[in-house]
Amino acid sequence: MEDFFLRALGGGIGAALAAGPVGCFVVWRRMAYFGAALAHAVLLGIALGFLLDIEPILAVFAVCALLAGCLTLLERQRYLSVDALLGVLAHAFFAAGLAAVAFMERLRVDLIGYLFGDILAVSAADLWLIFLTAAVVVAVIAWQWRNLLSLAVDPDLAAVEGVPVERVRLLLLFLVAAVIAVGMKIVGMLLVVALVIVPAAAARRLAATPEGMAVAATAIGIVAVVAGLFGSLQWDVPAGPAIVLVASAIFAASLLVPVRGGRSRG
Amino acid sequence: MISASSGDPLHAPPLVAARGVSLNFGRRTVLDRVDLVVHAGEIVTLVGLNGAGKSTLVRAILGIIRPDSGEVVRAPGLRIGYTPQHILRDPIMPMTVRRFLTLGAPASRQKLDAMLDEVGAGGVIDDPLADLSGGELQRVLLARAMLREPGLLVLDEPLAGVDLTSQSELYRLIATIRDRYGCGVLLVSHDLHLVMAATDTVVCLNGHVCCTGRPQAVLRDPGFISLYGPHLSDTLAVYRHLHDHRHDALGEPLTMEPGAPEEAAPPADRP
């Protein structure tokens, strides 16, 4: 097997490891629109990365974290709902990204790769960064699992039980930002939300506990990456869309599975 | 700390005391200089119409929101068991009763089974949370709160979504738990009938504290009558009267002066 293909496999699996558990929280806390807003901010991150000569993944993470911070500050006012705030932030960041890209001749050539993902161009350095990010994300989730889960079940109950709710909420936003930054390298900014949400959605009916759903989502993500990449090689389909198509097919198949843990007594 | 040796728990320092708590949302005053005190072994029920600020007051007492003025003082080391009004239990998250209970406080299978039996929800331990009936869910929430071995139980609308027969059972269960563990109970309720039957102190909230005291006294309070109307007040007085007979048969006083010793003063030493 070619090296570029092995690197692509490695990068995709790394992204799926982080996206599985984080995707579950995105589904549980109804943060899909937040994920979409972050995806809009990716372009500005890439532009700034080129401008300041920083790794694109790091620059994208920084811009996504900035958006998360803005959202947290804006949430303190009571006159606009979160989805309206996200609509404002997403498009302000996206417009800034488009304006920045217009100044950069070289980036415009590469833009298609960032829009649709270019997993086959994952470099050895990218691979390290992806695995480092995935390791940090998974470690933080494992460490904060109880707090994160309590927050997802009921924020008030969590607060009474001593969970530092505001800090955990911000932490989750940063975790999603990290996954978006890694995922855009794999499937591109237009499909990166799918990498987060589809495996988690597909895992719902296969699991009886939150922990089971996180593990199942990760496994489904890895299967989608591997099958998608081989499919892409076989039928000459772009890799990003192939991965998302496999994940979506698994989701469709999961609808046929009866929900586990249903009550057996009358 | 509150100890049994201090005698009448109502003269011991309160578990929690809200003093002069005011809170505004924008220009709207939600809470206006509200006082509320809960002692060990006491059931305090917060009543009031929708929008009276009941849930806001509860959140301030729990320390989730900070009042604009006034203070909430909790006894040192006080552990609170809380049951929220609306819990996320839509099927988005797979969650069994067992996992839900251990999320609050890790506990052995025996301990979980014993607590579920105690609240009358034995046998649901492996069921998904989303499949429970309203009454079962309230019992499971109560079990989770009790597993924390709380000094104070705060129950926000525990009777919402529970059918009528289960409502009075639940109310009796709350009183039993109070008697057995000696914890204080702060209850938010819409259902005045049941409130009047099994509460030590009623606090009627309408932004400010409209009236407070023993259930019978509150029923005759002009503030309560103007809020709920004379008809309801009369109806409830009948309920109260019927209930007096039951208490009478148990050898307990038929009427009590506000501030008189607690009729069901339990031993107040808690785990």
Side-chain angles (χ1 to χ4, degrees), chain B residues 8-10 41-43 178 200-201 214 256 260-266:
Chain B
D8 180 1
L10 291 186
E42 183 187 24
I43 297 183
R178 182 269 313 263
D200 302 312
T201 306
R214 306 259 150 209
M256 298 202 319
E262 194 46 57
E263 56 182 291

Side-chain angles (χ1 to χ4, degrees), chain A residues 50 101 104-115 118:
Chain A
F50 268 80
V101 166
M104 292 172 223
E105 280 300 328
R106 193 160 62 90
L107 183 55
R108 258 188 280 176
V109 181
D110 290 346
L111 197 54
I112 196 99
Y114 287 105
L115 284 175
D118 201 358

Side-chain angles (χ1 to χ4, degrees), chain B residues 13-245:
Chain B
L15 295 175
V16 68
R19 295 200 184 91
V21 167
S22 295
L23 220 146
N24 305 301
F25 286 162
R27 281 191 204 156
R28 199 165 77 87
T29 299
V30 180
L31 296 175
D32 181 20
R33 285 163 293 161
V34 172
D35 294 329
L36 188 145
V37 174
V38 185
H39 291 89
E42 183 187 24
I43 297 183
V44 175
T45 303
L46 197 54
V47 301
L49 305 174
N50 282 333
K54 300 189 295 292
S55 287
T56 307
L57 178 58
V58 165
R59 286 162 61 84
I61 285 173
L62 292 172
I64 296 171
I65 46 175
R66 195 182 289 274
D68 294 330
S69 63
E71 56 170 6
V72 175
V73 180
R74 281 173 282 269
L78 176 69
R79 247 197 300 213
I80 299 179
Y82 168 59
T83 68
Q85 186 178 348
H86 304 289
I87 180 111
L88 175 140
R89 63 150 179 159
D90 58 59
I92 289 180
M93 187 193 288
M95 180 66 91
T96 60
V97 169
R98 179 205 308 273
R99 187 66 191 96
F100 178 71
L101 291 178
T102 52
L103 187 59
S108 67
R109 169 82 201 223
Q110 288 97 322
K111 201 173 166 192
L112 295 181
D113 280 333
M115 187 52 79
L116 282 174
D117 280 340
E118 184 165 352
V119 299
V124 301
I125 190 158
D126 291 315
D127 286 352
L129 209 56
D131 286 2
L132 300 183
S133 71
E136 283 171 331
L137 179 67
Q138 287 301 337
R139 288 165 196 272
V140 168
L141 287 173
L142 192 58
R144 174 160 164 174
M146 289 310 295
L147 282 167
R148 285 172 52 76
E149 304 181 344
L152 174 67
L153 261 184
V154 178
L155 312 173
D156 195 352
E157 295 280 4
L159 307 180
V162 177
D163 61 67
L164 270 174
T165 34
S166 305
Q167 282 189 358
S168 50
E169 274 174 35
L170 257 177
Y171 230 112
R172 274 200 297 278
L173 175 64
I174 292 165
T176 308
I177 282 176
R178 182 269 313 263
D179 293 346
R180 173 149 179 219
Y181 296 93
C183 50
V185 180
L186 174 62
L187 200 67
V188 178
S189 186
H190 268 106
D191 195 299
L192 295 164
H193 294 169
L194 290 161
V195 169
M196 296 306 163
T199 298
D200 302 312
T201 306
V202 176
V203 175
C204 178
L205 194 68
N206 184 24
H208 61 284
V209 173
C210 149
C211 50
T212 179
R214 306 259 150 209
Q216 314 91 298
V218 165
L219 280 180
R220 287 184 225 106
D221 190 287
F224 181 89
I225 293 169
S226 73
L227 196 61
Y228 281 98
H231 176 71
L232 186 58
S233 177
D234 283 348
T235 318
L236 291 169
V238 173
Y239 271 79
R240 180 63 218 175
H241 179 74
L242 288 172
H243 195 77
D244 277 350
H245 280 298

Side-chain angles (χ1 to χ4, degrees), chain A:
Chain A
M1 229 178 285
E2 304 279 347
D3 275 359
F4 77 90
F5 192 77
L6 287 177
R7 282 198 302 272
L9 269 179
I13 289 171
L17 283 174
V22 170
C24 288
F25 284 102
V26 170
V27 168
W28 293 333
R29 293 205 24 88
R30 297 181 163 81
M31 293 162 70
Y33 200 38
F34 173 70
L38 291 184
H40 279 77
V42 164
L43 191 58
L44 181 60
I46 290 165
L48 289 181
F50 268 80
L51 204 64
L52 305 172
D53 200 20
I54 313 171
E55 272 295 323
I57 290 179
L58 294 179
V60 167
F61 175 72
V63 169
C64 287
L66 178 68
L67 191 152
C70 291
L71 177 69
T72 305
L73 288 179
L74 285 170
E75 271 181 323
R76 296 195 181 155
Q77 56 78 43
R78 295 195 172 98
Y79 300 96
L80 285 173
S81 64
V82 175
D83 65 327
L85 294 175
L86 283 174
V88 172
L89 288 172
H91 297 100
F93 275 70
F94 190 47
L98 287 172
V101 166
F103 288 108
M104 292 172 223
E105 280 300 328
R106 193 160 62 90
L107 183 55
R108 258 188 280 176
V109 181
D110 290 346
L111 197 54
I112 196 99
Y114 287 105
L115 284 175
F116 300 107
D118 201 358
I119 189 174
L120 300 178
V122 167
S123 68
D126 289 336
L127 198 55
W128 276 111
L129 199 50
I130 290 170
F131 266 97
L132 189 67
T133 310
V136 170
V137 167
V138 171
V140 168
I141 288 194
W143 169 50
Q144 287 289 308
W145 180 259
R146 222 192 116 223
N147 285 346
L148 286 163
L149 195 57
S150 299
L151 176 73
V153 169
D154 190 273
D156 281 1
L157 191 53
V160 172
E161 291 178 352
V163 175
V165 168
E166 286 311 314
R167 258 183 289 164
V168 176
R169 192 173 296 186
L170 195 60
L171 178 72
L172 182 56
L173 297 186
F174 287 154
L175 289 172
V176 180
V179 170
I180 295 286
V182 167
M184 67 93 194
K185 191 78 193 167
I186 305 301
V187 293
M189 66 180 86
L190 290 178
L191 286 175
V192 64
V193 182
L195 195 67
V196 178
I197 289 175
V198 179
R204 169 59 188 98
R205 294 168 83 94
L206 309 180
T209 60
E211 290 79 8
M213 184 162 152
V215 170
T218 309
I220 290 169
I222 291 172
V223 169
V225 163
V226 174
L229 276 175
F230 277 103
S232 137
L233 205 61
Q234 187 74 33
W235 291 292
D236 201 19
V237 185
I243 291 168
V244 174
L245 273 176
V246 174
S248 304
I250 297 174
F251 170 76
S254 81
L255 296 177
L256 304 173
V257 177
V259 176
R260 272 190 55 188
R263 129 181 311 196
S264 46
R265 62 202 179 81

